[in-house]
Amino acid sequence: MQIQLNGEPYRLNADSTLATLIESLGLAGRRIAIEVNEEIVPRSLHAETPLHAGDRVEVVHAIGGG
Amino acid sequence: MSSVSHDTPLTVAGRPFASRLLVGTGKYRDFDETAAAIEASGADVVTFAVRRTNLGQNPDEANLLDAISPSRYTLLPNTAGCYTAKDAVRTCRLARELLDGHNLVKLEVLGDDKTLYPNVIETLAAAETLVNDGFDVMVYTSDDPIVAKELERRGCCAVMPLGSLIGSGHGLLNPATLALILEQAEVPVLVDAGIGTASDAALAMEMGCDGVLMNSAIAHAKQPALMASAMRKAIEAGREAFLAERMPRRASASASSPFAGRINA
């Protein structure tokens, strides 16, 4: 199935969860925050949050800024 | 602070901070330069931005939060780059998740690319939503005293008018309106944006500002760590001068040495 990941189309298995997506991106354990369809998904819920075709996922982190 | 001063800490939403200098982390060459400048600034509060993670390129890329430890500094996520209340609110919620529930944020909603001037209509709307959602909101705004008061009424914990445009280094262009904001404020007032050099920061503090937030003035100095040290001293000097209450200005001279006992008397 296809989702929108940080504004770009992204293909993944139909049974994916947020946790498996993060794992496949090499971001497990990194300091990131995630929004699915404009709602925050807390870290504690990543493993039990299934992804669906068309979901809009944002993965963000901290960068320098003033 | 020297032993002669009896200052109270800057307190924002019940959080005391020893330093009245708040610094950003943008525009540095690398994280080492960032860390050295922040160390030299003595700041307790350090701002950062929230952006999309680069995916699939370099997952081992260094992370700002490794260089600037959340256990040592109070991290202040900002909403820089947001042009709508909606985006600013989303960014704050992402930042709260990023920092495990930490709810102190710097709200800024910008008007356009050229001026980065605050869009106060969107800022007011975002402030209201964020306060209702449990955030402690330090808010970047114009130097309009009416807007500053409205933001305070909406529950912002600090009001942060610009000294001049973000990154411009023009210093305090309108001290008269800043004075009006200071006179009426019941929450801390910090100058945020426009500081160019140490005297700008000292002036803000001498006027009675509770603190100053800056980024470019340090990061774009040729020697950022040295400028950070200068800013630290300027903030302390300005604060002490404010507490000491300056002498009145006089139209004519007033001799410091006594007239009595002069040899030609």
Side-chain angles (χ1 to χ4, degrees):
Chain A
M1 65 178 179
Q2 186 166 300
I3 61 168
Q4 286 285 314
L5 179 59
N6 283 2
E8 302 287 338
Y10 188 85
R11 298 200 69 81
L12 73 181
N13 293 332
D15 58 351
S16 297
T17 65
L18 212 38
T20 59
L21 172 65
I22 295 163
E23 184 74 36
S24 70
L25 293 170
L27 295 173
R30 308 283 299 182
R31 217 177 240 282
I32 53 174
I34 299 188
E35 211 186 40
V36 177
N37 300 327
E38 301 193 4
E39 293 292 332
I40 301 291
V41 182
R43 209 159 297 150
S44 58
L45 298 181
H46 288 179
E48 56 194 82
T49 301
L51 289 169
H52 305 100
D55 278 349
R56 286 165 294 126
V57 179
E58 294 286 341
V59 181
V60 303
H61 68 303
I63 65 151
Chain B
M1 281 281 169
S2 78
S3 57
V4 294
S5 79
H6 302 282
D7 200 2
T8 51
L10 166 65
T11 303
V12 178
R15 299 168 167 87
F17 301 112
S19 174
R20 291 173 179 273
L21 173 56
L22 292 72
V23 296
T25 51
K27 299 180 171 175
Y28 288 98
R29 276 191 287 270
D30 51 42
F31 287 146
D32 286 344
E33 190 183 68
T34 314
I38 289 168
E39 172 82 37
S41 77
D44 298 311
V45 179
V46 177
T47 66
F48 71 91
V50 175
R51 289 292 180 273
R52 282 174 167 168
T53 302
N54 276 335
L55 299 170
Q57 293 185 0
N58 181 9
D60 295 324
E61 198 178 359
N63 188 313
L64 176 71
L65 299 184
D66 299 330
I68 308 300
S69 164
S71 58
R72 175 161 177 203
Y73 297 102
T74 295
L75 291 170
L76 182 65
N78 69 32
T79 63
C82 292
Y83 289 81
T84 63
K86 184 187 164 192
D87 283 351
V89 169
R90 280 176 69 192
T91 300
C92 288
R93 288 177 177 153
L94 282 163
R96 182 165 60 183
E97 165 67 10
L98 200 53
L99 296 179
D100 305 316
H102 170 77
N103 68 342
L104 183 68
V105 293
K106 170 183 157 178
L107 171 64
E108 59 177 293
V109 189
L110 304 173
D112 70 30
D113 289 346
K114 178 175 175 163
T115 66
L116 301 179
Y117 211 77
N119 179 326
V120 296
I121 296 159
E122 294 292 316
T123 303
L124 285 160
E128 192 149 3
T129 304
L130 289 169
V131 168
N132 288 336
D133 195 14
F135 284 95
D136 291 331
V137 180
M138 303 176 73
V139 60
Y140 168 65
T141 185
S142 61
D143 59 5
D144 178 333
I146 308 303
V147 173
K149 201 65 195 174
E150 286 295 331
L151 287 164
E152 193 181 306
R153 286 204 186 99
R154 279 163 175 73
C156 292
C157 62
V159 172
M160 305 199 291
L162 48 76
S164 49
L165 300 182
I166 292 175
S168 72
H170 280 291
L172 305 185
L173 286 185
N174 202 341
T177 50
L178 182 57
L180 291 172
I181 292 172
L182 286 166
E183 203 176 291
Q184 68 178 11
E186 288 169 47
V187 296
V189 175
L190 294 87
V191 165
D192 178 5
I195 297 297
T197 189
S199 54
D200 299 331
L203 176 59
M205 297 308 293
E206 285 174 17
M207 288 181 62
C209 287
D210 297 282
V212 176
L213 197 164
M214 66 180 76
N215 190 150
S216 306
I218 297 173
H220 276 179
K222 253 191 185 155
Q223 295 189 55
L226 186 57
M227 185 57 89
S229 167
M231 291 298 184
R232 173 188 202 151
K233 292 167 185 159
I235 294 284
E236 288 183 6
R239 178 66 183 174
E240 290 190 359
F242 169 72
L243 293 173
E245 299 187 34
R246 59 154 297 154
M247 62 162 282
R249 289 183 170 85
R250 297 177 203 280
S252 51
S254 165
S256 296
S257 306
F259 269 77
R262 286 172 297 152
I263 57 169
N264 56 350

